[in-house]
Amino acid sequence: MNLSVRLLRVHAATFVVTVAGDLDLYSAPLLSPLLAPPPGPGPRHIVLDAARLIFCDVAGARLLTSTHQILKETGGGLVIAGAPGSLRRLTALVAGHPADAPAHHADVPEALRACAGPGGEDVSPYAPRHLPSFRGLGAGRGAPTGARVRRRT
């Protein structure tokens, strides 16, 4: 199965990335640029909505933990919402230490509240409708460079 990705900017420094399908050795390098910290000073937060993620291997977990570490250096971080138990265990194993693993939350609104922190910006009007979509990430499993990317509005 392919990986479907939707990206939504909720606030100037907060993004929700919704993934569905398989996050594996072939699709992780294609997802990596979307998880790169956006330019600009200050903390950046990414909420990964993993509720529809079917499969994640070690390469996908490494991508998530390394993205979290990069964002953590600027005071931000990557948090995972709606992850199955297997992804929670895998990210903890790959991180090596519980403090280095991304935090997990039950759903996206809870994760957004955690990113805002006490006295933070209000990011409650999260609406997962009308999101840009990149479908076909990971198509052509033998050659990730030949993947099709289709934008949906």
Side-chain angles (χ1 to χ4, degrees):
M1 178 168 198
N2 293 330
L3 181 68
S4 174
V5 179
R6 293 178 181 186
L7 178 66
L8 174 68
R9 185 178 202 150
V10 178
H11 181 262
T14 306
F15 297 85
V16 175
V17 178
T18 304
V19 293
D22 299 336
L23 178 56
D24 57 17
L25 179 65
Y26 301 105
S27 59
L30 299 169
L31 178 62
S32 181
L34 295 175
L35 296 180
R44 303 294 182 193
H45 299 279
I46 296 176
V47 175
L48 184 84
D49 182 0
R52 294 181 31 206
L53 190 64
I54 295 170
F55 174 78
C56 182
D57 68 2
V58 173
R62 279 189 187 135
L63 171 64
L64 300 179
T65 55
S66 66
T67 299
H68 174 64
Q69 290 302 314
I70 291 167
L71 293 170
K72 194 172 160 183
E73 292 172 3
T74 63
L78 178 129
V79 296
I80 302 172
S86 59
L87 182 60
R88 292 173 189 239
R89 289 187 299 275
L90 187 58
T91 54
L93 285 171
V94 168
H97 190 274
D100 296 333
H104 290 268
H105 297 279
D107 56 19
V108 173
E110 179 183 311
L112 287 171
R113 283 190 297 275
C115 288
E121 295 291 330
D122 181 24
V123 290
S124 57
Y126 168 73
R129 302 181 309 258
H130 311 296
L131 303 177
S133 178
F134 301 95
R135 297 201 182 269
L137 291 179
R141 295 248 184 224
T145 57
R148 299 167 300 163
V149 178
R150 187 178 81 194
R151 183 171 239 166
R152 180 193 227 184
T153 56

